[in-house]
Amino acid sequence: MKVFYLKKHYLLVLLVLIALGANAQTGSLVGKVLDEAGLPLPGASVQIKSLSRNTLTNADGTYKIVGLSNGTVSLLISYVGYQPKQESVKINGSTVANFSLKPEDQSLNEVVVVGYGTQTRREVTGSISKVTGDKLTAIPTPSFEAGLQGQAPGVQVTTGSGLAGSGSIIRIRGIGSISAGGDPLYVIDGIPITSDPFIGGNRGGMNQNPLATINANDIESVEVLKDAGAAGIYGSRGANGVILVTTKRGKLGRPTFNLSTKYGVSTYANKPKFVNGPEWLQLRQEAWTNDGNIGLAPLPGGLTWAQAEQNNTDWWGLVTQTGHLNDQSVSFSQGTEKIKSFISANYSNNESFLKGNAYERYGFRSNFDIKPTSYFTTSINVGYDRGTNKRVNAAWGGGLGEAMSTALPIYPAFNPDGSYYNNAANPLKNVDLLDWKTVTDRLIAGVTFELKPVKNLSIKAIANMDNMDVKENQYQPAILRNQSSGYANAWPVKVLNHTFTGTVNYDLEFSNKHKLSFLVGAENQESYRNLYKDGIYGDANGPFNKDTQSYDKALADQIKANSLNYVLGADRNTFASLFSRINYSYDNKYYLQVLARRDGSSKFGPNNKYGFFPAASASWYISQENFLSDSKVISNLKLRTSYGVVGSSNFPSGQYYSIFYQGKSYNGNGTVAPDNVENPGLKWEEGRNFDIGLDFGLFNNRISGEFSYYHKKTKGALLDGGISPSTGFLRGWVNVGEILNEGVELSLNTINIQSDNFKWITRLNISKNRNEVVSLGDFSADAVRGGTNDTRISIGYPLGVNYLVRYKGVDPADGLPIWLNKDGYETKTFSLDDRINTGQVLPDYVGGLTNTFSYKGFELNTLFTFAIGGNLYDGSAKRQLGIVTDWNIRSDISDRWQKPGDIAKFPRLTMSTGTYPGLSSEWQYNSTMFLYDATFVRLREVTLAYNLPASFANKLRLQTLKIFASGMNLLTFSKYPGGDPEVARDFENNQDRNMSPNVTYLTTPQQKSVSVGLSTSF
């Protein structure tokens, strides 16, 4: 009986405990996660850390966690791009809890990519500007780097011309190089990539842009490293700044597809105004009469006046069109604890407003992060793109440049029988008949192995490649050459770039206040090119890639003539590097970073094979001190500073040792001859950079930004200049001189209005840089030239100052120009000996102003970019204004002298340069008459977008759906009458690119476009 009694009570107690347990586990938590505008955040994480319970919100932002015990739990709610939130919720049965997240743009926990790792915004001690990928794809720029314009302080982006796929000139805190490249180092997913714009020279009046192959839709973010504290980890290549590009990766969560589609039309943003046919004839006759002649003026092109009067050809209209834009991108993302993947494919075709010109690109990317165990991870990145540039001649090469110069309105495009007019310039014939394509296949790939054998220790081994195969084919049919056969050229180039990196990182935490992080690494990079130095050429019936028979014959003919020049391993160079970085923080208020890099390069002589580049930086969060911790005004106040040494090695290989070439025959035998001056002491440019900045946030970060001052001095600048004639050579590479860049930067972000339904945010960045050549050593200004652009280097002036004769005005009595001689006295005799340093190469201020307005699901975004001050020198105006030759004439010639007493801008017209005493040729007409104010303001972007309600998107089985319309370069405000005031033209070499940033010559204006599209995820 006792046994039965005990069993009965035992079963009763057991049933009670089961009932209590069941009751304790019947609680649940449901709700929504919304953004600051009240829109759902699909894929947001809701986590109960103590219970290891985690879930993701669905398409309408709803989440649900069941099987919870009643009581209080601590939740962590997070979403990419938003500030995480921790809250405690009391569970009592079925409990509802909704959460709203704020964007983390101003959050100190925002992750920033730095060299060989990441840091939170709080930990960053250097000067880094971050631009998210969506900013780069907002408008259809020729290449992704153009999307940086107006987005970051201290970063001057001069967007390329309207030619499809054209490149941009980017200068980070000024120009610190003379003959070496002044462009920043580009690093994609840890790979220092090839970005040389001179791979194909400037054939056809344009430089090739290797960056055009990169798909902007794959980019997660771009970090611009500006000071030594940030860029110093790249040592010998950080002097001109570093642009880190991070591609998108798979994120934790369910599989998601993203689709983006855009279509648009384009035309030119600005156009110079030219006189028409009758007006050109009238000006020609006026000049003829002014020169004391009688009768009708002779005409170029073999035309009679009767024939010329029948024509009024709009060459600009004939060689331009309404371009079409087409951009398609699809991607897949998913992630688990074991594997995360991102796969994308893209297609785009940017058909410019120039007939026959387009850049077509397609490709794919796959990024995988695989974590089979808790201590081992591997990442695999593969990106392949093919870019096809359908090219046309530009600038001095022809095409639109010819329409602005020697294609006169009095010339017909066609003869009466329908054939092309051949007696003078005919750009339409060239555009219609020339077959010219450059196809670039690019593979950027890498694999990373990461081992974490013990806590806080990470060991990485990384192998990367950036390989390009460039096939350029040009074909001129017989009718274009006026010959009996066609002619083909091919310039194939293979660029191979391989990098191997090993790093060890260890984090050490002494207490809650002391934290240390150590990074040490080694890196080896080798790059070279295989190419036919002079190309492959010969008679053909089509492009060599199609007419293989003619190609084989051309190869055989060149081999027989000993003119086939194939170079295996051209411009080969190797970098072998060791680097380290130590980060220390105390109490989350004081941060110190010390880094150093030792680079060895094959580019430099045995006396200076290795260089050492140290840097130190620190920051102090003043706002976290007791005297400010309770401030209702100051939300964030951070003081940072850095100093370090960085270098530049962006110049051709093989310049320190003697190079020989095949010379002329002597006595029937072959000879070799030296081509340069040996310089075993050649070394890196050395930049010594100081930076101090203040990051601030006021009124709960309603106002935030940063202010910085920097002082950069380049020592031992690389110069390819004139040397002593006694050496027997005209030029040679040496280290000489000092260049100073000093400036200030300001970025300001304000939340002007913030309510439940409406938000208005303004972002302003503005910077000022002063550039000065401090020293040229024993060299004079005549040792360096800026190509054909009449710029030079002089002590105390900016690099590449304009060197011109000063124009005073017109003598009202006789209409002749009045000049100022070197001493400032008036003279009517033009002389190049009276040229002086004049004008302002660089603008006083550059920047961008962005306004974003949000109302419920609508968003309006506008971006104005601007340059204030500085001058633009128009190298083509000296042929388009004043002296009437066989060139077109701009409409601003209307302000000219015509009779005694006239007060005019331009002197009387003439057909003879001898009319202006001392002027020997119109090509020598280099004066301030053609130096213009370069100030401009441009409506770079205006985008109107609408995020459709989640309820509507869900009905279509979509998570999100956004439609948008955008405009690029819709408005430009400028006093410059010659077309586009923003100049990024073709350049002859890096020295020309550095010294002539404000010189234009028949430059194709930028595109103006309107596009519509949609993006969705499902």
Side-chain angles (χ1 to χ4, degrees):
M1 293 292 294
K2 288 184 177 180
V3 172
F4 175 77
Y5 181 80
L6 290 173
K7 285 184 177 179
K8 183 173 69 172
H9 281 272
Y10 173 77
L11 291 172
L12 180 62
V13 171
L14 183 61
L15 290 171
V16 170
L17 290 174
I18 292 173
L20 289 173
N23 182 64
Q25 297 295 324
T26 57
S28 64
L29 186 63
V30 297
K32 287 189 173 183
V33 179
L34 309 173
D35 65 10
E36 76 281 10
L39 297 174
L41 291 175
S45 171
V46 181
Q47 182 181 7
I48 304 176
K49 282 191 170 182
S50 60
L51 301 178
S52 299
R53 298 290 298 275
N54 182 59
T55 189
L56 300 175
T57 58
N58 60 20
D60 63 355
T62 301
Y63 72 93
K64 185 175 183 179
I65 304 177
V66 298
L68 300 176
S69 303
N70 290 335
T72 301
V73 296
S74 179
L75 298 178
L76 174 63
I77 305 95
S78 60
Y79 187 74
V80 175
Y82 286 76
Q83 300 178 33
K85 176 180 285 188
Q86 284 189 332
E87 286 201 10
S88 296
V89 176
K90 186 175 182 180
I91 307 298
N92 185 12
S94 181
T95 304
V96 178
N98 298 321
F99 305 100
S100 178
L101 300 183
K102 296 180 180 180
E104 68 171 5
D105 291 347
Q106 304 301 324
S107 172
L108 297 179
N109 295 318
E110 177 189 19
V111 176
V112 177
V113 178
V114 297
Y116 306 98
T118 60
Q119 295 176 349
T120 64
R121 178 66 69 180
R122 173 183 291 278
E123 296 169 324
V124 170
T125 54
S127 182
I128 301 177
S129 292
K130 180 175 181 177
V131 180
T132 55
D134 60 302
K135 302 290 194 304
L136 306 178
T137 57
I139 51 178
T141 56
S143 186
F144 85 88
E145 77 279 6
L148 294 172
Q149 188 179 52
Q151 303 286 358
V155 182
Q156 183 183 4
V157 181
T158 306
T159 303
S161 68
L163 290 162
S166 62
S168 300
I169 302 173
I170 296 185
R171 294 292 179 259
I172 299 175
R173 293 184 167 180
I175 306 172
S177 299
I178 301 176
S179 301
D183 297 279
L185 173 69
Y186 290 87
V187 179
I188 297 182
D189 291 335
I191 311 171
I193 66 167
T194 302
S195 59
D196 182 6
F198 298 103
I199 290 176
N202 63 342
R203 283 189 286 270
M206 68 176 293
N207 301 129
Q208 292 297 288
N209 178 24
L211 300 177
T213 58
I214 296 168
N215 178 27
N217 292 292
D218 286 342
I219 296 176
E220 180 73 29
S221 68
V222 170
E223 271 83 2
V224 183
L225 314 185
K226 297 185 285 188
D227 69 336
I233 195 68
Y234 289 98
S236 67
R237 291 174 286 182
N240 296 313
V242 181
I243 293 181
L244 300 181
V245 179
T246 303
T247 60
K248 295 176 181 178
R249 312 199 71 81
K251 294 179 173 61
L252 188 67
R254 65 193 67 179
T256 301
F257 288 89
N258 293 280
L259 173 68
S260 173
T261 180
K262 299 177 189 175
Y263 295 93
V265 293
S266 66
T267 184
Y268 44 83
N270 300 83
K271 173 188 175 183
K273 295 180 180 179
F274 294 97
V275 301
N276 59 28
E279 290 169 337
W280 192 92
L281 288 171
Q282 185 268 322
L283 294 171
R284 177 85 169 185
Q285 186 62 37
E286 181 181 325
W288 177 256
T289 303
N290 285 347
D291 291 342
N293 300 301
I294 58 174
L296 293 176
L299 300 178
L303 293 176
T304 66
W305 271 76
Q307 292 172 324
E309 289 172 339
Q310 299 299 313
N311 301 316
N312 187 17
T313 306
D314 178 11
W315 290 107
W316 183 287
L318 288 176
V319 299
T320 60
Q321 63 182 1
T322 298
H324 293 85
L325 311 169
N326 179 7
D327 187 282
Q328 311 297 321
S329 178
V330 61
S331 65
F332 166 81
S333 174
Q334 72 86 36
T336 66
E337 294 296 332
K338 295 293 185 181
I339 182 170
K340 297 182 180 71
S341 58
F342 173 83
I343 302 172
S344 73
N346 70 88
Y347 172 82
S348 68
N349 187 20
N350 179 359
E351 183 185 79
S352 81
F353 62 84
L354 297 173
K355 281 186 179 178
N357 177 227
Y359 194 92
E360 184 181 35
R361 182 188 63 233
Y362 66 83
F364 71 87
R365 171 167 287 277
S366 58
N367 291 344
F368 295 97
D369 298 302
I370 304 168
K371 190 176 182 180
T373 69
S374 60
Y375 54 86
F376 178 73
T377 304
T378 183
S379 298
I380 302 172
N381 312 318
V382 179
Y384 166 79
D385 289 281
R386 165 171 281 197
T388 301
N389 193 349
K390 299 176 182 177
R391 300 181 59 181
V392 293
N393 282 305
W396 48 263
L400 188 64
E402 204 166 48
M404 292 189 284
S405 56
T406 55
L408 301 179
I410 62 171
Y411 298 156
F414 299 96
N415 295 314
D417 62 359
S419 60
Y420 289 102
Y421 180 71
N422 283 325
N423 292 340
N426 189 338
L428 182 63
K429 175 184 176 182
N430 188 278
V431 167
D432 286 347
L433 300 178
L434 183 67
D435 186 340
W436 192 2
K437 290 184 180 69
T438 301
V439 179
T440 302
D441 291 291
R442 186 165 199 167
L443 178 65
I444 300 178
V447 58
T448 300
F449 300 101
E450 181 177 10
L451 181 66
K452 294 183 176 180
V454 296
K455 184 180 179 180
N456 296 332
L457 176 64
S458 170
I459 303 171
K460 288 184 180 181
I462 308 165
N464 294 316
M465 68 166 63
D466 172 23
N467 291 349
M468 286 196 300
D469 186 1
V470 184
K471 299 182 180 70
E472 183 176 349
N473 282 278
Q474 183 189 79
Y475 174 66
Q476 304 173 57
I479 188 175
L480 181 59
R481 302 178 63 218
N482 295 321
Q483 300 288 332
S484 59
S485 66
Y487 198 82
N489 286 275
W491 297 279
V493 180
K494 289 187 177 181
V495 184
L496 300 102
N497 180 2
H498 302 150
T499 307
F500 300 93
T501 309
T503 64
V504 177
N505 195 93
Y506 184 68
D507 297 323
L508 183 62
E509 189 170 342
F510 295 108
S511 64
N512 292 332
K513 291 189 176 183
H514 297 274
K515 295 180 181 179
L516 271 170
S517 179
F518 301 89
L519 170 74
V520 295
E523 187 169 79
N524 180 272
Q525 181 177 9
E526 181 180 29
S527 63
Y528 58 93
R529 302 174 187 179
N530 299 334
L531 73 157
Y532 290 90
K533 189 174 182 181
D534 302 312
I536 303 165
Y537 47 85
D539 292 338
N541 298 314
F544 279 148
N545 58 325
K546 297 178 180 179
D547 183 6
T548 56
Q549 185 175 357
S550 296
Y551 175 79
D552 293 338
K553 183 178 184 303
L555 279 176
D557 290 344
Q558 286 182 248
I559 292 172
K560 184 177 180 180
N562 199 27
S563 60
L564 187 65
N565 192 353
Y566 182 70
V567 182
L568 185 66
D571 200 28
R572 182 185 296 272
N573 63 88
T574 302
F575 283 89
S577 309
L578 298 173
F579 55 88
S580 65
R581 179 171 59 208
I582 301 174
N583 292 88
Y584 169 73
S585 67
Y586 173 72
D587 201 20
N588 287 328
K589 290 189 292 187
Y590 311 102
Y591 294 85
L592 174 66
Q593 175 178 278
V594 179
L595 58 85
R597 183 170 180 126
R598 184 175 185 263
D599 280 323
S601 173
S602 61
K603 287 188 174 185
F604 298 98
N607 299 345
N608 294 290
K609 187 67 69 178
Y610 296 92
F612 180 66
F613 305 93
S617 55
S619 65
W620 170 31
Y621 277 91
I622 308 173
S623 54
Q624 293 190 210
E625 297 293 351
N626 292 333
F627 58 85
L628 281 180
S629 59
D630 296 326
S631 174
K632 295 182 179 179
V633 176
I634 299 176
S635 314
N636 174 47
L637 193 62
K638 172 184 175 181
L639 179 67
R640 53 179 170 75
T641 187
S642 68
Y643 180 80
V645 179
V646 286
S648 176
S649 55
N650 190 359
F651 80 114
S653 299
Q655 302 302 317
Y656 76 86
Y657 52 77
S658 294
I659 300 175
F660 294 82
Y661 67 95
Q662 184 174 343
K664 297 180 181 180
S665 63
Y666 176 76
N667 197 26
N669 298 315
T671 65
V672 292
D675 192 39
N676 69 324
V677 177
E678 182 180 355
N679 182 3
L682 199 63
K683 63 179 182 178
W684 279 272
E685 291 182 346
E686 186 178 274
R688 300 182 180 182
N689 298 355
F690 169 75
D691 177 89
I692 186 168
L694 188 69
D695 300 349
F696 59 87
L698 307 174
F699 306 109
N700 198 25
N701 284 329
R702 288 290 293 267
I703 301 174
S704 62
E706 62 179 76
F707 178 80
S708 299
Y709 164 80
Y710 60 87
H711 183 280
K712 298 171 53 178
K713 180 172 283 189
T714 301
K715 302 179 75 68
L718 286 163
L719 172 65
D720 180 20
I723 55 179
S724 173
S726 62
T727 64
F729 300 93
L730 296 176
R731 311 182 73 85
W733 282 87
V734 294
N735 294 98
V736 64
E738 296 181 7
I739 302 170
L740 171 67
N741 283 281
E742 182 180 36
V744 292
E745 303 166 357
L746 171 67
S747 67
L748 186 65
N749 310 305
T750 61
I751 303 175
N752 306 313
I753 299 175
Q754 186 171 18
S755 63
D756 291 340
N757 293 324
F758 182 72
K759 189 174 185 179
W760 173 21
I761 300 176
T762 298
R763 297 186 295 273
L764 168 70
N765 71 81
I766 186 170
S767 56
K768 176 181 176 61
N769 180 73
R770 182 176 74 88
N771 179 268
E772 179 186 344
V773 178
V774 179
S775 170
L776 273 180
D778 296 331
F779 284 75
S780 68
D782 294 327
V784 187
R785 296 179 181 178
T788 58
N789 301 307
D790 238 344
T791 57
R792 62 157 41 191
I793 293 180
S794 294
I795 306 302
Y797 289 90
L799 185 70
V801 65
N802 297 114
Y803 191 55
L804 304 167
V805 178
R806 288 172 291 176
Y807 175 61
K808 177 68 182 297
V810 178
D811 187 339
D814 56 17
L816 293 177
I818 301 173
W819 315 99
L820 296 180
N821 65 16
K822 271 193 172 183
D823 298 321
Y825 294 106
E826 293 184 6
T827 177
K828 284 192 176 182
T829 301
F830 181 90
S831 173
L832 293 179
D833 292 336
D834 288 327
R835 289 178 295 175
I836 66 166
N837 299 318
T838 185
Q840 191 173 330
V841 178
L842 301 176
D844 293 320
Y845 301 95
V846 295
L849 175 65
T850 302
N851 280 283
T852 303
F853 305 89
S854 304
Y855 177 71
K856 294 187 176 179
F858 289 94
E859 182 175 283
L860 175 65
N861 191 76
T862 63
L863 168 62
F864 286 89
T865 57
F866 57 85
I868 302 173
N871 293 110
L872 186 157
Y873 179 65
D874 191 339
S876 48
K878 60 188 176 184
R879 295 297 310 271
Q880 296 168 336
L881 296 167
I883 303 172
V884 180
T885 61
D886 59 346
W887 272 48
N888 277 298
I889 302 174
R890 291 220 309 251
S891 298
D892 35 323
I893 197 65
S894 59
D895 188 4
R896 68 184 184 280
W897 184 95
Q898 298 183 65
K899 63 182 184 304
D902 281 352
I903 305 297
K905 179 178 180 179
F906 297 104
R908 75 186 195 190
L909 297 183
T910 180
M911 289 175 57
S912 172
T913 55
T915 302
Y916 304 156
L919 183 61
S920 59
S921 164
E922 57 269 19
W923 292 111
Q924 301 298 320
Y925 202 19
N926 301 323
S927 75
T928 58
M929 184 186 298
F930 313 115
L931 194 65
Y932 296 90
D933 182 357
T935 298
F936 73 88
V937 176
R938 169 165 273 161
L939 179 56
R940 178 66 169 166
E941 175 203 346
V942 56
T943 299
L944 177 63
Y946 178 58
N947 291 283
L948 276 74
S951 58
F952 179 82
N954 292 342
K955 291 179 181 179
L956 301 176
R957 299 182 180 273
L958 303 175
Q959 291 184 11
T960 61
L961 179 60
K962 181 173 75 171
I963 57 176
F964 55 86
S966 65
M968 180 178 73
N969 297 337
L970 296 184
L971 296 173
T972 303
F973 305 94
S974 170
K975 295 180 180 179
Y976 172 56
D980 202 320
E982 189 176 351
V983 179
R985 47 169 284 267
D986 65 290
F987 295 100
E988 298 174 9
N989 48 47
N990 279 318
Q991 184 168 300
D992 186 23
R993 191 174 169 95
N994 291 331
M995 292 181 58
S996 307
N998 69 328
V999 179
T1000 180
Y1001 184 78
L1002 300 175
T1003 305
T1004 302
Q1006 291 190 44
Q1007 290 193 50
K1008 174 168 61 177
S1009 67
V1010 176
S1011 57
V1012 296
L1014 64 84
S1015 61
T1016 183
S1017 61
F1018 53 92

